[in-house]
């Protein structure tokens, strides 16, 4: 069984970040430890959310882990609420077991905008973290921020490929770009593996509704697949279809707008 530590926030309500990463990874047979970057009362789409920065406690937790000689097969980062945390995370690479990986989901933006309460110091920190990662999993908005390029949604397949190659030039050996849509009614993900030297894609039907937190679920499913030895095509297929199934499980409930009912999908699949 692989041992992973996930570093992202706890949104007390909202079905995102650690409240989805922990159950998803666990259901896929990954031992998931957590290192919370902060505590939010709700996810960031709720007006007036509260945020408690946990940077100093993170330092104490990591110091205790080091004193206990703990090691991990993977470090998986998501939402980071304070730029001071990036150096701490980079330093944790020495806690990786032989062959261990750093997976970075630069969870900071969507629909052309940064999440509320985040600023360019987070973008700069994510760019530096991406340079040291084995895999990054940005959405289109995050990719544009990382590359300091104007946000556009009307990209062709070749333009998406060029964007992915530029992301790989930042340093990661593998890139998975989500929210790829160059055909009407279709959406999916595109991956590039420098070692293999090729692209992998998987597309699904675009759903009429979208929800906060699906990127966190996608990343968790993808990372679980990779740790379990799945190939890239199988990883993209399972991750994309998991999101589609989660949206379909949620779309008939107009009162549930703060996340997807991924729990129903886990119950059916596992």
């Amino acid at each position: 069984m692989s041992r992973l530590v996930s570093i992202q926030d706890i949104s007390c309500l909202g079905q995102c970040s650690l409240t989805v990463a922990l159950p998803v990874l666990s259901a896929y047979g990954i031992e998931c430890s957590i290192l919370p970057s902060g505590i939010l009362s709700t996810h960031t789409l709720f007006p007036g959310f509260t945020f408690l920065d946990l940077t100093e406690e993170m330092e104490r937790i990591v110091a205790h882990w080091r004193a206990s000689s703990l090691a991990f097969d993977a470090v998986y980062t998501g939402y980071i609420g304070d730029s001071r945390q990036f150096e701490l995370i980079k330093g944790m690479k020495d806690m990786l077991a032989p062959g261990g990986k750093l997976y970075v989901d630069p969870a900071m933006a969507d629909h052309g905008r940064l999440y509320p309460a985040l600023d360019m110091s987070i973008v700069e920190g994510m760019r530096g973290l991406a340079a040291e990662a084995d895999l990054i999993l940005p959405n289109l908005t995050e990719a544009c921020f990382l590359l300091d390029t104007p946000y556009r949604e009307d990209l062709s397949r070749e333009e998406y490929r060029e964007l992915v190659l530029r992301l790989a030039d930042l340093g990661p050996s593998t890139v998975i770009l989500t929210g790829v849509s160059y055909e009407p009614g279709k959406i999916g993900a595109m991956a590039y593996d420098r070692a293999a030297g090729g692209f992998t894609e998987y597309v699904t039907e675009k759903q009429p509704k979208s929800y906060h937190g699906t990127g966190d679920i996608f990343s968790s499913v993808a990372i679980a697949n990779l740790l379990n030895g799945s190939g890239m095509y199988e990883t993209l297929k399972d991750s994309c279809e998991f999101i589609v199934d989660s949206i379909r499980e949620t779309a008939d409930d107009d009162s549930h707008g703060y996340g997807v009912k991924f729990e129903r999908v886990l119950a059916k699949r596992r």
Side-chain angles (χ1 to χ4, degrees):
M1 176 182 288
S2 296
R3 172 188 285 174
L4 169 149
V5 57
S6 185
I7 307 171
Q8 47 190 311
D9 73 281
I10 297 174
S11 287
C12 296
L13 185 147
Q15 291 171 299
C16 65
S17 303
L18 283 176
T19 59
V20 301
L22 180 56
V24 168
L25 288 158
S26 298
Y28 275 79
I30 308 299
E31 180 188 331
C32 183
S33 303
I34 64 170
L35 183 61
S37 59
I39 300 176
L40 284 75
S41 55
T42 65
H43 67 52
T44 58
L45 291 188
F46 282 80
F49 66 88
T50 66
F51 174 74
L52 175 64
D53 175 28
L54 293 179
T55 302
E56 294 180 1
E57 190 60 29
M58 289 172 70
E59 293 170 349
R60 287 189 283 268
I61 292 169
V62 171
H64 180 220
W65 286 351
R66 279 205 171 89
S68 302
S69 301
L70 296 179
F72 300 94
D73 299 301
V75 172
Y76 159 30
T77 72
Y79 182 95
I80 303 299
D82 190 306
S83 60
R84 295 176 297 165
Q85 296 171 6
F86 290 110
E87 290 305 312
L88 174 69
I89 294 168
K90 291 177 186 177
M92 290 181 65
K93 289 185 71 176
D94 66 11
M95 299 181 69
L96 287 171
K101 305 289 187 182
L102 172 60
Y103 300 124
V104 174
D105 176 358
M108 59 183 177
D110 207 354
H111 303 298
R113 301 184 300 275
L114 285 175
Y115 293 144
L118 299 185
D119 57 27
M120 290 306 294
S121 70
I122 297 296
V123 177
E124 293 167 7
M126 284 293 186
R127 195 176 291 133
L129 193 59
E132 304 208 13
D134 295 285
L135 165 69
I136 61 172
L137 305 100
N139 62 30
L140 177 58
T141 299
E142 290 154 355
C144 291
F145 272 108
L146 288 172
L147 297 172
D148 193 21
T149 192
Y151 173 75
R152 285 175 46 213
E153 296 182 354
D154 58 337
L155 301 181
S156 66
R157 186 183 193 188
E158 287 308 311
E159 287 175 315
Y160 274 113
R161 288 193 167 197
E162 180 183 349
L163 199 68
V164 169
L165 288 174
R166 289 177 62 196
L167 289 166
D169 285 342
L170 292 176
S173 55
T174 307
V175 175
I176 298 177
L177 179 65
T178 64
V180 173
S181 180
Y182 52 81
E183 295 180 66
K186 302 286 187 179
I187 193 167
M190 177 183 289
Y192 174 76
D193 185 322
R194 184 184 293 114
F199 290 89
T200 306
E201 299 178 30
Y202 190 83
V203 298
T204 61
E205 295 295 325
K206 194 169 187 177
Q207 301 302 300
K209 293 185 178 183
S210 62
Y211 296 88
H212 196 72
T214 51
D216 301 331
I217 298 171
F218 180 100
S219 293
S220 299
V221 174
I223 289 167
N225 269 273
L226 293 171
L227 285 171
N228 285 334
S230 296
M232 186 56 73
Y233 180 81
E234 291 77 14
T235 293
L236 297 187
K237 180 177 185 292
D238 190 42
S239 304
C240 289
E241 292 187 353
F242 194 107
I243 297 304
V244 170
D245 290 346
S246 296
I247 291 173
R248 287 173 175 165
E249 289 287 349
T250 313
D252 61 349
D253 185 351
D254 291 334
S255 68
H256 193 90
Y258 51 80
V260 290
K261 296 178 179 177
F262 73 97
E263 301 91 344
R264 293 180 177 177
V265 181
L266 278 181
K268 290 178 179 180
R269 289 188 172 210
R270 310 313 298 176

